[in-house]
Amino acid sequence: MIDETVYSTLRIEAERDEIRRLVVGAVVVRHHRVLILRRRRSDFLSGRWELPSGVVEPGEALDGAVTREVAEETGLQVTGISDYLGEFDYLSGGGARTRQFTFVAEVAAHGPVTLTEHDTHLWTRLTDEPPVSDEVREILGRYQQRQRDPRGWSAYSLGNGA
């Protein structure tokens, strides 16, 4: 589990950097495969493959946002958040400076993926070069590295400019 101070530090740094919108993303893994979702053609960044993710609501805790977004977008129940993998910044469709914090979310072993905001999903092996953005590919690379060598990583070791 992640120390609570990590969440507050991430928020403080985002505020310092004048980030106006916070988003959480989740690396969801089952049987050594990662869940990616494809945006509907009618959405901003249509057709792009991404991790389950979404906007942090005002007053919402980051871990609570991860749990809520995974459930809303996939129907899967988060049972724990085990790692922080880093962040990346981008401009939202409305032009707001946005920062996505990405975590490893453990989900219940049963249950199908039920999509509400995407048109399809894929459980992909990381060795298959998933069709995601460079930012998400970098996050997934960190996840792979973490799996190969968990020693020496702290929950926040990636924070500052990760």
Side-chain angles (χ1 to χ4, degrees):
M1 298 312 266
I2 297 175
D3 186 294
E4 288 296 317
T5 60
V6 170
Y7 299 119
S8 60
T9 301
L10 294 174
R11 284 182 174 276
I12 290 166
E13 289 180 353
E15 187 174 321
R16 177 201 64 207
D17 295 342
E18 299 181 1
I19 299 297
R20 299 291 174 233
R21 189 167 172 245
L22 301 180
V23 169
V24 291
V27 172
V28 176
V29 181
R30 265 195 195 159
H31 308 294
H32 307 288
R33 293 176 185 255
V34 173
L35 178 63
I36 56 174
L37 312 173
R38 188 175 68 191
R39 285 181 168 266
R40 291 183 176 145
R41 298 289 177 207
S42 58
D43 285 351
F44 172 66
L45 299 175
S46 69
R48 177 174 279 186
W49 289 89
E50 63 186 3
L51 300 170
S53 58
V55 175
V56 178
E57 301 295 335
E60 186 176 32
L62 295 179
D63 55 345
V66 170
T67 299
R68 178 184 53 77
E69 284 295 338
V70 170
E72 285 179 4
E73 292 189 357
T74 70
L76 298 174
Q77 177 188 3
V78 172
T79 59
I81 299 171
S82 61
D83 238 331
Y84 171 64
L85 296 173
E87 75 261 355
F88 57 88
D89 296 347
Y90 63 94
L91 291 179
S92 71
R97 291 190 64 207
T98 302
R99 177 163 294 163
Q100 178 172 317
F101 302 111
T102 305
F103 302 89
V104 176
E106 298 163 6
V107 295
H110 62 282
V113 173
T114 306
L115 300 176
T116 58
E117 300 177 18
H118 297 83
D119 62 10
T120 193
H121 74 283
L122 177 67
W123 289 99
T124 184
R125 292 184 190 279
L126 294 178
T127 56
D128 293 344
E129 292 286 325
V132 294
S133 69
D134 291 342
E135 294 86 359
V136 171
R137 188 169 288 109
E138 186 176 328
I139 292 288
L140 293 175
R142 289 183 196 145
Y143 173 77
Q144 282 183 296
Q145 184 179 3
R146 177 72 170 99
Q147 294 307 298
R148 285 192 300 267
D149 184 18
R151 294 165 297 151
W153 287 60
S154 70
Y156 189 64
S157 64
L158 295 169
N160 302 310

